[in-house]
Amino acid sequence: MAIEETRTTTSPPIRGCADQEPRSETASPQAPPRAWATRLVIVGIVLAALNLRPAITSFGALLEEVRDGLGMSGSVAGLLTSVPPLCFAVFGVMAPRLARRFGPGVVVCAGMVAITAGLAIRPYTGSAAGFLAGSALALMGIAVSNVLMPVIVKRWFPDRVGSMTGLYSMALALGTSAAAALTVPMTDALGGSWRSGLAVWAGLAGVAVLPWIALVRTRGAASPGGERPPASASAPPEPDGLRITRSRTAWALAVFFGLQATAAYITMGWMPQIFRDAGVSAGTAGLLLAVTMVMGVPLAFVIPRLATRLPHQGPIVVALGACGLAGYAGLYAAPAGGAWAWALLLGVSNCAFPLALTMVGMRARTGVGVAQLSAFAQSTGYLLSIPGPLLVGVLYQHSGGWGLPIALMAALMVPQIAVGVLAGRDRTVEDEATPVPRP
């Protein structure tokens, strides 16, 4: 097995998140045994990941019902599909600062609470503005958790970045696909109310709060910095003055992240409607979206492990992009006739997301580097992705069909492949963005 997958219990501390001196697990009677704490972190990561997309895919599955119930136009619905990347860009950039102040675990715990509250509130506000506000609350929690998951993985599992990112990504894909597949059937089972069908996902988010509360209470009692990973005297030193915007790799990864996010949120927000307009039933359209999302369950575990074994991740980027181009071509030519094949191909293409997360962990050597790169790549990337879903809604409304929107999706895949190849080069942001002291 490759060395990066060999399990260790050491990780570099993130400045400001915990005391800087290494401390053994026996130093405080309040600290739980290391193995127990590690298992708790794994459970927390998996449950958190399960809740990072149902707020979006459950809405996509009932988009037509929500539009009718709240009186939305196509452009307003397109705006709502653009809200996730907007919130991720705005709130995600705050995550490193919050983590330094309160600790990553505390911030993720608060994020799970925000997701629970937002999902419970938004269906019952009675207006598009209220629905938007509730969605923004949930998405705020998702945004900070998005950024801090790679940080927590790097801190607790520094030599298992590929396998733990794969586990996290697999859980994320499972939650995404489950929301897409089960929202419509659960809505029918709950009396046909789309409000109940959306609100039920707040229960899953509430469960995800529990392990983070336990982790924060047991690990955070010793210091205000929150949970403490095992420390090591041999951990690499944290860089001073890391200027992430000077790194070409960081910019390439940010643009790659933005383009893959554009494709993903267009798919989650609009693909069921594409199939429904082609004559596919609402339930089947939801299942097709679920198939697209569920492809990420096995592949999200395999791709990060494969990526950590390759010196250059460009070949994976090209393979995923080719699947996306083939899926869009089929969606344009025969959306209903080959629906299952197109759903599978687009599902493979959407696995650019776990690949991007893996590259975040690989393109930085230290905890501080991962935190800054994760915040920069995700916030900048999601900011770049905002116009995509909105533009699809506008093109759909004014062209009266899906030809132009699908052409736009395919066109964006070309630069995604190009910048992904650049981001996949074997280098780190510390080498590019840390100023060299003058003699």
Side-chain angles (χ1 to χ4, degrees), residues 59 62-73 76-77 80 122-129 131 192-195 198:
F59 169 64
L62 295 175
L63 176 59
E64 186 171 311
E65 287 75 9
V66 175
R67 286 177 58 188
D68 293 341
L70 298 178
M72 295 181 189
S73 65
V76 173
L80 276 173
R122 72 174 184 175
Y124 300 105
T125 57
S127 67
F131 190 93
S193 169
W194 61 266
R195 291 179 169 83
L198 293 181

Side-chain angles (χ1 to χ4, degrees), residues 197-418:
L198 293 181
V200 72
W201 293 104
L204 180 62
V207 173
V209 176
L210 303 179
W212 291 102
I213 290 178
L215 182 66
V216 168
R217 292 187 64 182
T218 55
R219 303 296 290 185
S223 75
E227 79 294 339
R228 185 191 309 278
S232 170
S234 62
E238 302 291 358
D240 289 321
L242 182 62
R243 299 178 182 177
I244 200 71
T245 55
R246 293 189 175 184
S247 169
R248 294 181 180 179
T249 298
W251 278 107
L253 187 54
V255 176
F256 176 69
F257 205 101
L259 290 173
Q260 68 80 28
T262 299
Y265 287 108
I266 289 174
T267 298
M268 286 187 282
W270 288 108
M271 197 178 80
Q273 193 65 47
I274 294 175
F275 287 127
R276 291 179 73 169
D277 287 351
V280 177
S281 67
T284 302
L287 286 176
L288 286 166
L289 178 59
V291 167
T292 299
M293 299 297 108
V294 83
M295 289 300 296
V297 175
L299 291 178
F301 190 71
V302 172
I303 288 176
R305 294 171 66 89
L306 176 62
T308 57
R309 287 164 167 78
L310 295 176
H312 194 306
Q313 289 73 50
I316 304 178
V317 172
V318 173
L320 298 179
C323 289
L325 290 172
Y328 291 136
L331 204 60
Y332 176 83
W340 296 100
W342 319 142
L344 288 170
L345 285 169
L346 292 175
V348 174
S349 178
N350 278 348
C351 287
F353 175 71
L355 177 61
L357 289 180
T358 306
M359 288 196 287
V360 167
M362 295 178 68
R363 297 287 88 88
R365 291 193 305 269
T366 64
V368 167
V370 172
Q372 292 192 26
L373 178 58
S374 181
F376 176 74
Q378 294 199 45
S379 296
T380 304
Y382 284 128
L383 187 64
L384 293 174
S385 73
I386 291 171
L390 177 60
L391 185 56
V392 165
V394 172
L395 289 175
Y396 171 56
Q397 180 173 346
H398 291 283
S399 69
W402 287 106
L404 286 178
I406 292 174
L408 172 65
M409 299 177 209
L412 292 176
M413 187 60 65
V414 177
Q416 177 180 320
I417 295 172

Side-chain angles (χ1 to χ4, degrees), residues 159-211:
D159 296 322
R160 301 179 64 195
V161 170
S163 59
M164 289 306 301
T165 301
L167 179 64
Y168 153 68
S169 301
M170 185 171 64
L172 190 150
L174 182 61
T176 304
S177 58
L182 299 178
T183 297
V184 172
M186 285 195 301
T187 299
D188 295 338
L190 293 171
S193 169
W194 61 266
R195 291 179 169 83
S196 299
L198 293 181
V200 72
W201 293 104
L204 180 62
V207 173
V209 176
L210 303 179

